Amino acid sequence: MIRAVVWNENVHEQTNEAVAAIYPDGIHNCIAQALDADTGIASTTATLQEAENGLSAARIDQTDVLLWWGHAAHGEVADVVVDRVADAVWGGMGLIILHSAHFSKIFKRLMGTPCNLTWREAGERERIWVTARGHPIARGLPEHFDLESEEMYGEPFAVPEPLETVFISWFQGGEVFRSGLTYRRGAGRIFYFRPGHETCPTYHDENIRRVLVNAVHWANPAAARITNVHYAPSRDVSDALEPISERGPKLHAPGEEGLR
Amino acid sequence: MIRAVVWNENVHEQTNEAVAAIYPDGIHNCIAQALDADTGIASTTATLQEAENGLSAARIDQTDVLLWWGHAAHGEVADVVVDRVADAVWGGMGLIILHSAHFSKIFKRLMGTPCNLTWREAGERERIWVTARGHPIARGLPEHFDLESEEMYGEPFAVPEPLETVFISWFQGGEVFRSGLTYRRGAGRIFYFRPGHETCPTYHDENIRRVLVNAVHWANPAAARITNVHYAPSRDVSDALEPISERGPKLHAPGEEGLR
Amino acid sequence: MIRAVVWNENVHEQTNEAVAAIYPDGIHNCIAQALDADTGIASTTATLQEAENGLSAARIDQTDVLLWWGHAAHGEVADVVVDRVADAVWGGMGLIILHSAHFSKIFKRLMGTPCNLTWREAGERERIWVTARGHPIARGLPEHFDLESEEMYGEPFAVPEPLETVFISWFQGGEVFRSGLTYRRGAGRIFYFRPGHETCPTYHDENIRRVLVNAVHWANPAAARITNVHYAPSRDVSDALEPISERGPKLHAPGEEGLR
Amino acid sequence: MIRAVVWNENVHEQTNEAVAAIYPDGIHNCIAQALDADTGIASTTATLQEAENGLSAARIDQTDVLLWWGHAAHGEVADVVVDRVADAVWGGMGLIILHSAHFSKIFKRLMGTPCNLTWREAGERERIWVTARGHPIARGLPEHFDLESEEMYGEPFAVPEPLETVFISWFQGGEVFRSGLTYRRGAGRIFYFRPGHETCPTYHDENIRRVLVNAVHWANPAAARITNVHYAPSRDVSDALEPISERGPKLHAPGEEGLR
């Protein structure tokens, strides 16, 4: 059973009537329900307003895949939480970054790029095309599907070249966007998935919900969490795998820590 | 003429006799001389101890390719300088990260990973193999070449999968390491090159000097610096490339800034 | 249950006493036993000498993952069988290419490169390093493990840049080699795994057997086989997803087949 | 001076009035003129109808970058010519594949995939977006540009994941397509560029011509042609880089050729 945690900043659901009407229990609960429809996933939720933003060390230790939705309050996420999530991803935890979380601290940290894009809020039609036939994240999808009303995101999208481009979006107003991108950072798999503007009923869409379920399965770690993700050990000459003799000048005394 | 800047923390040259003996003018000047032997490159140097760590905004604006060597003083580089270098790379400046700079702030920032590895300071033999025949960075090199005495770096090296693996090192003590890796972050090209322990005469080696020259040419930006690397503009409905009509609820008033 | 088929040319087991002594039932049966130790895999075997090289269309239709070992008789594999296997991979079948099968028709076809390398048959030590911590194919492995006696393969290895480099080998005689490489071609996943010289007991090694099991799980298709892998349909203007009007001159009459 | 050869099957220019009106001297001469406007390129042309399809061994030896346009006569290109071009690419020659040459023998050979796609000939609007800001192939281009009338190509495009996705096209009828893709095969760089339907004036467009010039510069080899692209030498034990002793059984007598 994959332990998924759906994190949401949960702001616009409290402050905007249109959003509250679409997601009366919050985006996080809507997504959690989508995931729980899969018999292999057990999901819970976490929000910005909880202690430690809902992501204590103990909680993260028990998380196989973390889904992240944020928009208005990226700056309010505690840096210590961002560090903790980054460490977990490097150790193997899966991470799924949703829509406006392209500007979240954690995504920018893991990408090493500005993650900016162009955008337009006009309720226009988005058509999502599968560009990686047979990819696990596209399982069960048609070759393309429409979201009748979505926010536009346009290229250029300032992210690193992905391992694989799974989806590309067509927008009614004339733009394109790489909507489904995979990465690995350390032992962890990362999937960015574009749709999900909070004034649109996107997370109620059956194709979108299928992508989320597929992505959780894809991002589920293959092995136990690696905990020494910053470990940079010195190998003793006397323990070398092949016999060697020490030569030349050295900076470090035997057994000394390396420099950082 | 490519304007290269060789940055060096310049610490061990001042504090360690063995290092000072090998690089009496500092690693930076040794590398700058190697680059200047190429008629297409004009190099200057910058060090940690200078104002703004030698990398003022005006200086960075005039830099096509920045080479970075650091080991003992990563933490002393000002964060504002790291931000400035990152912005420049995203805008197109080339960046060449040397040896122990795998733990520099700027490399970790751009990679989004811990960048850790294993190491051994035993003056052992390193053999560097070209794995990408015909790559511009390998121009003029033999299929492999030796450094008789180097520090060992061993896998796993916690970096993202590169665009291309150009070199892999064999070590006498039994390890391997991906020694030449290419990345793009924003408009800028990045090359990580492993050799260069300060107690070894590595930057005097002709093959190593050739790699540095090649890498500067490879990393030289193709176009003028992009300056709006964080720009995330809203596209007005009335200016849409294809005529669309606004529909549905909206978060933003017309012309409003996006959320970050 | 994953249906794995282990294909072997089965030549040296019949003609070379040293090989026969190590693999009295053939390399294929040794590997099949390794796979069957995993409760999620049901394996069978196929050999060059069987009708249609053991790979009839019906057989391929029932195969989730095909493992391929060949060395002396690449040229004897029927081209129609190679075409069939390529179509199946493009449609989603997993393919695991073992050792000297780097020169098999099917691997060269799918890579689009010569797939050459350097080699030495000296029974030297090979040490395999995991370069992609947390990758499903490395599950349960130590950071490195040794094969005391193997054939050497050396870089440069003329293959395309992989999706991920999972393993790199160190050889006693001074070479390195990218030993575990992943690719996707069409909907199918491909894994190249270097070890397995027939005069060495490599496929009896527990770490090697674990890699093979892991690789079968990794390469197992996520969805049903795609059968129209060469389909290049014309979309009628009247069926366009967005209303458009035909304009300008045309090469093709309505409904006409495209050119190939 | 980069020696570019523009190859064209030159069929529809002879048989279709609309095509002849747009390209009275053939697509090849139109493209050659675009390249010659760059002071760093010297271009010539070659066509299917010439001896050896215009690509003798001597000619290929003198070619730095080959551009390839074909549509109606892929099957008429001699296999020996295809082999020759493949060898040259593996040895370092640049190759630029244009539009309907996605189905050329040489592209399918080098990709290892079917290279199929969907299409519609309706003279619709195509908008090309730069997805890799700062890439040399996008030098001097705006963020997007339009071709008012083009054939549509739609995803999924059955090619391997590229090194970098440089352009993505938006089509008026609702499709998207990865229009600019880079690969390396052996020492050679390959660029696929989508636009160029023969009934449209695409190769007269200034932005398109700029892309072609940029691509020729990008694909220009960094070093002399490698000629031993199929070489797979045995390394003698006595010549090993590190001293080793031969152990165990062997298949090959000393100095014997390897198996293929």
Side-chain angles (χ1 to χ4, degrees):
Chain A
M1 195 67 116
I2 305 172
R3 298 164 301 178
V5 172
V6 185
W7 189 92
N8 181 15
E9 64 175 33
N10 195 28
V11 170
H12 284 142
E13 292 96 328
Q14 313 305 323
T15 61
N16 182 296
E17 287 186 15
V19 179
I22 298 171
Y23 299 111
D25 299 320
I27 284 175
H28 47 299
N29 281 307
C30 180
I31 291 176
Q33 286 162 12
L35 302 182
D36 285 337
D38 185 271
T39 56
I41 303 174
S43 71
T44 54
T45 66
T47 56
L48 176 68
Q49 296 76 22
E50 299 171 39
E52 302 188 61
N53 306 146
L55 297 173
S56 67
R59 184 79 187 277
I60 287 291
D61 284 350
Q62 301 297 317
T63 303
D64 296 315
V65 179
L66 178 63
L67 299 96
W68 191 279
W69 197 99
H71 189 186
H74 297 313
E76 296 176 33
V77 177
D79 286 338
V80 65
V81 169
V82 177
D83 291 346
R84 189 180 288 158
V85 172
D87 279 355
V89 170
W90 295 330
M93 185 180 75
L95 181 66
I96 298 171
I97 297 289
L98 297 169
H99 188 63
S100 44
H102 72 90
F103 262 159
S104 63
K105 289 181 181 177
I106 184 65
F107 190 57
K108 292 191 291 184
R109 167 85 60 90
L110 293 168
M111 293 295 102
T113 55
C115 303
N116 52 325
L117 44 78
T118 71
W119 58 282
R120 178 176 52 234
E121 197 185 15
E124 71 199 88
R125 181 156 56 256
E126 173 178 14
R127 180 169 299 114
I128 296 176
W129 288 89
V130 176
T131 50
R133 277 184 113 183
H135 195 287
I137 296 179
R139 173 156 64 175
L141 292 176
E143 289 202 350
H144 62 85
F145 62 94
D146 286 9
L147 297 169
E148 187 52 35
S149 186
E150 251 293 354
E151 185 181 23
M152 181 280 288
Y153 277 8
E155 294 281 348
F157 184 22
V159 288
E161 193 69 26
L163 288 180
E164 302 189 81
T165 298
V166 182
F167 303 118
I168 295 178
S169 288
W170 176 101
F171 287 97
Q172 195 179 358
E175 284 85 359
V176 296
F177 197 77
R178 291 170 292 166
S179 275
L181 300 173
T182 66
Y183 298 91
R184 204 164 52 81
R185 289 290 179 269
R189 288 173 162 187
I190 301 169
F191 180 59
Y192 175 78
F193 189 45
R194 196 214 78 82
H197 192 54
E198 61 265 50
T199 63
C200 305
T202 298
Y203 295 118
H204 294 287
D205 180 89
E206 282 308 312
N207 286 310
I208 296 293
R209 292 165 83 93
R210 184 181 295 264
V211 171
L212 296 176
V213 165
N214 288 347
V216 166
H217 280 276
W218 173 84
N220 186 36
R225 183 79 49 88
I226 295 166
T227 54
N228 61 347
V229 293
H230 297 282
Y231 187 52
S234 171
R235 301 302 190 193
D236 280 357
V237 175
S238 55
D239 294 338
L241 298 161
E242 304 290 326
I244 55 173
S245 305
E246 208 167 289
R247 300 185 297 191
K250 297 223 301 282
L251 287 177
H252 298 273
E256 197 179 283
E257 281 283 294
L259 298 162
R260 280 175 189 260
Chain B
M1 197 66 117
I2 304 172
R3 299 164 300 177
V5 172
V6 185
W7 189 92
N8 181 15
E9 66 174 33
N10 195 27
V11 170
H12 284 142
E13 291 95 330
Q14 313 305 323
T15 61
N16 182 295
E17 288 186 15
V19 178
I22 298 172
Y23 298 110
D25 298 320
I27 285 175
H28 47 300
N29 282 307
C30 180
I31 291 175
Q33 286 162 13
L35 301 182
D36 284 337
D38 184 271
T39 57
I41 304 174
S43 70
T44 54
T45 66
T47 57
L48 176 68
Q49 296 77 21
E50 298 171 39
E52 300 190 62
N53 305 146
L55 298 173
S56 67
R59 185 79 187 278
I60 287 290
D61 283 351
Q62 300 298 318
T63 303
D64 295 316
V65 179
L66 178 63
L67 299 95
W68 192 280
W69 196 99
H71 189 185
H74 297 313
E76 296 176 32
V77 178
D79 286 339
V80 65
V81 169
V82 176
D83 292 346
R84 188 180 289 158
V85 173
D87 278 354
V89 169
W90 296 328
M93 185 180 75
L95 181 65
I96 299 172
I97 297 290
L98 298 169
H99 187 63
S100 43
H102 71 91
F103 263 158
S104 62
K105 288 180 182 178
I106 184 64
F107 190 57
K108 291 190 292 184
R109 168 85 61 91
L110 293 168
M111 293 294 103
T113 56
C115 302
N116 53 325
L117 44 78
T118 71
W119 58 282
R120 179 175 52 232
E121 198 184 14
E124 70 199 89
R125 182 156 53 257
E126 173 178 16
R127 181 168 298 115
I128 296 177
W129 288 89
V130 175
T131 49
R133 278 184 113 183
H135 195 285
I137 296 180
R139 173 157 64 175
L141 292 176
E143 288 202 351
H144 63 85
F145 63 94
D146 285 9
L147 297 169
E148 185 53 35
S149 186
E150 252 292 354
E151 185 181 24
M152 180 281 285
Y153 278 8
E155 294 280 349
F157 184 23
V159 287
E161 193 69 24
L163 287 180
E164 302 190 80
T165 298
V166 181
F167 303 119
I168 295 177
S169 290
W170 175 101
F171 287 97
Q172 195 179 357
E175 283 85 0
V176 296
F177 196 76
R178 290 170 292 167
S179 275
L181 300 174
T182 66
Y183 297 92
R184 205 162 52 81
R185 290 289 179 270
R189 287 173 162 188
I190 302 169
F191 180 59
Y192 175 78
F193 190 45
R194 193 214 80 81
H197 192 52
E198 61 265 50
T199 63
C200 306
T202 297
Y203 295 118
H204 295 286
D205 180 87
E206 282 309 312
N207 285 309
I208 295 294
R209 292 163 83 92
R210 185 180 295 266
V211 171
L212 296 177
V213 165
N214 289 346
V216 166
H217 279 278
W218 173 84
N220 187 36
R225 183 80 49 88
I226 295 166
T227 54
N228 61 348
V229 295
H230 298 281
Y231 186 52
S234 171
R235 303 300 190 196
D236 279 358
V237 174
S238 55
D239 295 338
L241 298 161
E242 304 289 327
I244 54 173
S245 305
E246 208 168 288
R247 300 186 296 192
K250 296 223 300 283
L251 288 177
H252 298 272
E256 196 179 283
E257 281 283 294
L259 299 162
R260 280 174 189 262
Chain C
M1 197 66 117
I2 304 171
R3 299 164 300 177
V5 172
V6 186
W7 189 92
N8 182 15
E9 65 176 33
N10 196 25
V11 170
H12 283 143
E13 292 96 329
Q14 314 303 325
T15 61
N16 181 296
E17 287 187 15
V19 178
I22 298 170
Y23 299 111
D25 299 321
I27 284 175
H28 47 300
N29 282 307
C30 181
I31 290 175
Q33 286 162 12
L35 302 182
D36 285 336
D38 185 90
T39 55
I41 303 173
S43 70
T44 54
T45 66
T47 57
L48 177 67
Q49 296 76 20
E50 299 171 39
E52 301 189 62
N53 305 145
L55 298 173
S56 67
R59 185 78 187 279
I60 289 290
D61 284 350
Q62 301 298 318
T63 303
D64 296 314
V65 180
L66 179 63
L67 299 96
W68 192 280
W69 196 99
H71 189 184
H74 298 313
E76 296 176 34
V77 178
D79 286 338
V80 64
V81 169
V82 176
D83 291 346
R84 188 180 291 159
V85 172
D87 278 355
V89 170
W90 296 328
M93 185 180 75
L95 181 65
I96 298 171
I97 297 290
L98 297 169
H99 187 62
S100 42
H102 71 90
F103 263 158
S104 62
K105 288 181 182 177
I106 184 64
F107 190 56
K108 291 191 291 184
R109 167 85 62 91
L110 293 168
M111 294 294 103
T113 57
C115 303
N116 53 325
L117 44 80
T118 71
W119 58 282
R120 180 176 51 233
E121 197 185 15
E124 70 199 90
R125 182 156 55 256
E126 172 179 15
R127 181 170 298 114
I128 296 176
W129 289 90
V130 176
T131 49
R133 278 183 111 183
H135 195 286
I137 296 179
R139 174 157 63 175
L141 291 177
E143 287 200 352
H144 62 86
F145 63 93
D146 286 8
L147 297 169
E148 186 51 35
S149 185
E150 251 294 352
E151 186 181 22
M152 181 280 287
Y153 278 8
E155 294 281 348
F157 183 23
V159 287
E161 193 69 25
L163 287 180
E164 302 190 81
T165 298
V166 181
F167 303 118
I168 295 178
S169 289
W170 177 100
F171 286 97
Q172 195 179 358
E175 284 85 0
V176 296
F177 196 77
R178 290 170 292 166
S179 275
L181 299 174
T182 66
Y183 298 92
R184 204 162 53 81
R185 290 290 178 271
R189 287 174 161 187
I190 301 170
F191 181 59
Y192 175 78
F193 190 45
R194 195 215 78 83
H197 192 52
E198 61 266 49
T199 63
C200 306
T202 298
Y203 294 119
H204 294 286
D205 179 89
E206 282 307 312
N207 286 309
I208 295 294
R209 292 163 83 92
R210 183 180 297 264
V211 171
L212 296 176
V213 165
N214 288 346
V216 167
H217 280 277
W218 173 84
N220 186 36
R225 183 80 49 88
I226 295 166
T227 54
N228 61 346
V229 293
H230 298 281
Y231 186 52
S234 172
R235 301 303 191 194
D236 278 359
V237 175
S238 55
D239 294 338
L241 298 161
E242 305 289 327
I244 54 174
S245 304
E246 210 167 287
R247 299 186 297 192
K250 296 223 301 281
L251 287 177
H252 297 274
E256 196 179 284
E257 281 284 294
L259 298 162
R260 281 177 189 257
Chain D
M1 197 67 116
I2 305 172
R3 300 165 298 178
V5 173
V6 185
W7 189 92
N8 181 13
E9 65 174 32
N10 196 25
V11 170
H12 283 142
E13 292 94 330
Q14 312 306 325
T15 60
N16 183 296
E17 288 187 15
V19 178
I22 299 172
Y23 299 110
D25 299 321
I27 285 175
H28 47 300
N29 282 307
C30 181
I31 291 175
Q33 286 162 11
L35 301 182
D36 285 336
D38 185 272
T39 57
I41 303 174
S43 71
T44 54
T45 66
T47 57
L48 176 68
Q49 296 76 21
E50 299 170 39
E52 301 189 61
N53 305 145
L55 298 173
S56 68
R59 184 80 187 277
I60 288 290
D61 284 350
Q62 300 299 317
T63 303
D64 295 316
V65 180
L66 179 63
L67 299 95
W68 192 280
W69 197 98
H71 189 182
H74 298 313
E76 296 176 33
V77 178
D79 286 338
V80 66
V81 169
V82 176
D83 291 346
R84 188 180 289 159
V85 173
D87 278 356
V89 170
W90 295 329
M93 185 180 74
L95 181 66
I96 299 172
I97 296 290
L98 297 169
H99 187 62
S100 43
H102 71 90
F103 263 158
S104 62
K105 288 181 182 177
I106 184 63
F107 190 57
K108 290 191 292 184
R109 168 85 60 92
L110 293 169
M111 293 295 103
T113 56
C115 303
N116 54 325
L117 45 78
T118 71
W119 58 282
R120 179 177 51 233
E121 197 185 14
E124 69 199 90
R125 181 154 57 255
E126 172 178 16
R127 181 169 298 115
I128 296 178
W129 288 89
V130 175
T131 49
R133 278 184 111 183
H135 195 286
I137 297 179
R139 174 155 65 174
L141 292 177
E143 288 202 350
H144 62 86
F145 63 94
D146 286 9
L147 297 169
E148 186 52 35
S149 185
E150 253 291 355
E151 185 182 25
M152 180 281 286
Y153 278 8
E155 295 279 351
F157 184 23
V159 288
E161 193 70 24
L163 287 180
E164 302 190 80
T165 299
V166 181
F167 302 119
I168 295 178
S169 289
W170 176 100
F171 286 97
Q172 194 178 359
E175 284 85 359
V176 295
F177 196 76
R178 291 170 292 166
S179 275
L181 299 174
T182 66
Y183 297 92
R184 205 162 51 80
R185 290 290 179 269
R189 286 172 162 188
I190 301 170
F191 180 58
Y192 175 78
F193 190 46
R194 194 214 80 80
H197 192 53
E198 61 266 49
T199 62
C200 307
T202 298
Y203 295 118
H204 294 286
D205 180 88
E206 283 307 312
N207 286 309
I208 295 293
R209 292 164 84 92
R210 185 179 295 265
V211 171
L212 296 177
V213 165
N214 288 345
V216 167
H217 280 276
W218 173 83
N220 187 36
R225 183 80 48 89
I226 295 166
T227 54
N228 62 347
V229 294
H230 297 282
Y231 187 51
S234 172
R235 302 301 190 195
D236 278 359
V237 174
S238 55
D239 294 337
L241 298 162
E242 304 289 328
I244 54 173
S245 304
E246 209 168 288
R247 300 185 297 193
K250 297 223 299 284
L251 286 178
H252 297 274
E256 197 179 284
E257 280 284 295
L259 298 162
R260 282 176 189 257

